[in-house]
Amino acid sequence: MHFDVFGQQTSLTTPQAQNSWDATLLAFMAHGAATPTHLGETFAAEPDFALGHAVKGMFYLLLGRSELIETARDALAQAKASIAQTPVTAREMHFVDALDVWMAGSPSKAVGHMEQVLVNNPTDTLAMKLSHAIRFVLGDGIGMRRSVERVLPHYDTDHAGRGYLLGCHAFTLEEAGEYGAAEQAALKGLRVSADDAWGLHAVAHVYDMTCNAAGGLKWLEGREAAWAHCNNFRYHVWWHKALMHLDLGQHTDVLALYDTEIRADKTDDYRDISNATSLLSRLELDGVDVGNRWEELAEISANRTEDGCLIFADLHYLLALIGDNREAEIKRLTARLYRDAMSDRDEMARRMARPGLSAAAGLEAFGEADFKTAFLNLSHARHSIQLAGGSHAQRDVFERLTIDAGIRAGLLHDAENILKERMTRRAEREDGYASARLAMISDARSAFLRGERLAAE
């Protein structure tokens, strides 16, 4: 009988396989680039490891790429075949069943299996992190927090997964607006798991949401080693740093980070595309010329118009296509969104319908300078945009586009109300964006009053 690094029983039979599996688990918790290498070594030692195959399948589904669905299906088939060769525990069977229901179009049922594992084994850090990751894709911030807080009392101070759990807790607290508690949880976690880039990035979120860009830069400065080991998540941490420079009006620094870190590798992972497109959109809203940087993003996104895996990904592909004026591909993507929404075939299709269709229509109208139509659609979508997944910081690009559309359409009162709601979520403070837009609204009203006076004279 073997137990993993987090104290959970496994069906592995050799120390070599167990050591490789432990390395896989620790790398996954830290978003480590070495995760697939360690998993491969696990299979080399024990090919019929059903839990490993199930987790591999879930890893692929989290990547949100249509061409990887078949790979995930193969992993599920291997997991089921392995069960016939090697008996598995009830715990491990839940992971296989989770992949099975997710493949059938119900990621929320996959979460249900992870939560059942946690009912039986509250200190199962793998189940905790997978539940956290899937809920993040589903935009279930409340569920993320509840899940973490249910198991938190069961972790002893010396549990190998406690630091990563605290990092997840920190992120959920930040998303709930409890910024001080979020920072404290992250710092406690990092003291025992210094490689937890998720916890470190939760603190970056706190600085973003409390409008303290200068403090955020100080926080990240000198901590680069904490995310250098990461997979593509490292680009996302650099993105956070770029947002801090953007808030301070340091556009040269933003573009330098874009070129040297965020898009140094021309990857086509949807999370990397979302980093890039949302950053370029923010820059353009601030009047910055981004040159030809849209082109490579649009080329990648043009090949993703039929994906339909995640609405979050689709909306960022659409941003890229709009940024490069790719009219044919824009029409193809929006048409596919409509078909998926009308199919109502699974959970993701329902997100295509709400908030997907309104958000996509708003983005397309913004690109066509039809700002009233853009505002009406984007403001409608914002009430359910959480369902697109991601974080407050990531979804803020849609909030900014909504506000800017309202200002440009002359709907000043409506734009101001959304801006004030945004400020309320950000610790009742103004960031650089809010200050600039409040000034724009004030100037527009003054110009209108001057016009009225002149007309009266």
Side-chain angles (χ1 to χ4, degrees):
M1 185 179 297
H2 288 267
F3 292 86
D4 68 29
V5 66
F6 300 130
Q8 305 305 313
Q9 184 181 348
T10 75
S11 58
L12 292 169
T13 60
T14 66
Q16 179 185 357
Q18 189 60 65
N19 289 338
S20 295
W21 180 239
D22 286 346
T24 303
L25 295 177
L26 291 170
F28 173 54
M29 296 307 142
H31 296 255
T35 304
T37 300
H38 295 309
L39 184 57
E41 291 167 350
T42 306
F43 291 137
E46 294 201 27
D48 292 325
F49 183 37
L51 172 60
H53 289 299
V55 169
K56 175 183 175 181
M58 286 191 272
F59 285 172
Y60 276 115
L61 291 182
L62 284 168
L63 292 175
R65 299 165 66 101
S66 59
E67 71 271 24
L68 296 180
I69 292 175
E70 196 57 39
T71 308
R73 197 182 311 281
D74 290 342
L76 176 60
Q78 287 180 295
K80 290 181 175 180
S82 295
I83 291 170
Q85 301 297 322
T86 305
V88 299
T89 65
R91 166 196 176 247
E92 291 173 308
M93 195 66 219
H94 272 298
F95 285 85
V96 178
D97 290 339
L99 176 58
D100 204 352
V101 294
W102 194 352
M103 288 297 309
S106 184
S108 64
K109 288 183 179 178
V111 169
H113 279 287
M114 294 300 94
E115 291 301 319
Q116 186 56 53
V117 171
L118 293 172
V119 168
N120 301 329
N121 308 279
T123 58
D124 191 326
T125 311
L126 174 61
M128 178 279 297
K129 186 72 170 181
L130 281 170
S131 175
H132 192 80
I134 302 169
R135 287 184 190 274
F136 178 77
V137 169
L138 295 175
D140 183 13
I142 293 174
M144 291 167 74
R145 181 176 180 181
R146 286 176 178 168
S147 177
V148 169
E149 291 184 348
R150 273 196 296 267
V151 303
L152 191 57
H154 297 275
Y155 274 70
D156 293 332
T157 56
D158 61 348
H159 189 283
R162 190 168 185 272
Y164 303 110
L165 173 67
L166 287 169
C168 289
H169 192 211
F171 182 79
T172 67
L173 289 168
E174 175 275 318
E175 291 293 289
E178 297 187 25
Y179 303 123
E183 184 174 7
Q184 290 305 307
L187 293 176
K188 285 170 63 178
L190 288 165
R191 279 196 286 271
V192 293
S193 299
D195 64 349
D196 182 23
W198 188 256
L200 175 135
H201 121 284
V203 180
H205 274 268
V206 169
Y207 280 108
D208 180 82
M209 295 301 292
T210 56
C211 307
N212 184 3
L217 288 174
K218 290 179 182 177
W219 161 251
L220 292 176
E221 194 69 36
R223 287 185 167 88
E224 291 81 4
W227 71 85
H229 67 279
C230 288
N231 51 29
N232 67 312
F233 188 66
R234 68 185 184 277
Y235 306 126
H236 183 66
V237 183
W238 286 114
W239 175 81
H240 273 282
K241 189 172 185 181
L243 289 187
M244 295 165 186
H245 284 296
L246 178 67
D247 191 57
L248 296 171
Q250 298 165 350
H251 299 139
T252 301
D253 293 309
V254 176
L255 291 172
L257 280 175
Y258 183 96
D259 294 333
T260 62
E261 300 292 352
I262 297 166
R263 290 304 290 168
D265 303 317
K266 306 303 185 200
T267 57
D268 62 352
D269 187 293
Y270 84 87
R271 293 162 296 187
D272 305 336
I273 301 301
S274 74
N275 293 333
T277 56
S278 65
L279 187 56
L280 294 186
S281 294
R282 286 168 166 89
L283 284 163
E284 289 194 334
L285 289 178
D286 284 357
V288 178
D289 182 356
V290 300
N292 62 358
R293 291 177 177 85
W294 283 114
E295 292 179 13
E296 63 101 3
L297 301 174
E299 194 62 34
I300 293 169
S301 299
N303 295 320
R304 293 285 169 200
T305 59
E306 299 302 315
D307 255 29
C309 292
L310 299 171
I311 185 58
F312 182 85
D314 283 331
L315 293 177
H316 287 88
Y317 295 147
L318 186 57
L319 279 178
L321 297 172
I322 292 168
D324 199 38
N325 300 309
R326 303 286 285 265
E327 293 184 11
E329 289 86 353
I330 291 168
K331 297 302 181 187
R332 189 158 65 237
L333 176 53
T334 53
R336 200 225 75 231
L337 279 172
Y338 182 81
R339 290 195 306 273
D340 286 352
M342 293 305 101
S343 74
D344 194 35
R345 68 179 185 274
D346 56 27
E347 287 184 52
M348 287 302 116
R350 288 189 281 278
R351 281 168 167 74
M352 300 297 173
R354 179 175 179 269
L357 292 182
S358 294
L363 295 178
E364 185 178 9
F366 195 101
E368 295 170 349
D370 182 357
F371 297 118
K372 184 174 181 180
T373 300
F375 178 80
L376 292 174
N377 279 283
L378 288 169
S379 60
H380 179 71
R382 69 185 290 268
H383 298 296
S384 55
I385 198 67
Q386 177 91 21
L387 296 175
S391 64
H392 292 311
Q394 289 175 307
R395 294 188 299 270
D396 188 51
V397 67
F398 305 118
E399 192 91 320
R400 293 183 186 216
L401 287 162
T402 306
I403 293 164
D404 272 46
I407 294 171
R408 297 183 194 195
L411 303 171
L412 303 180
H413 180 71
D414 297 304
E416 185 178 42
N417 283 341
I418 295 174
L419 186 57
K420 288 181 177 178
E421 288 178 25
R422 180 182 179 275
M423 290 165 57
T424 297
R425 286 196 303 274
R426 291 172 176 267
E428 301 287 352
R429 297 172 185 168
E430 292 181 21
D431 58 3
Y433 174 82
S435 297
R437 271 38 182 198
L438 287 171
M440 289 169 65
I441 291 169
S442 178
D443 291 345
R445 283 180 172 146
S446 296
F448 177 76
L449 291 173
R450 285 196 300 271
E452 281 196 327
R453 284 197 296 269
L454 289 172
E457 293 173 358

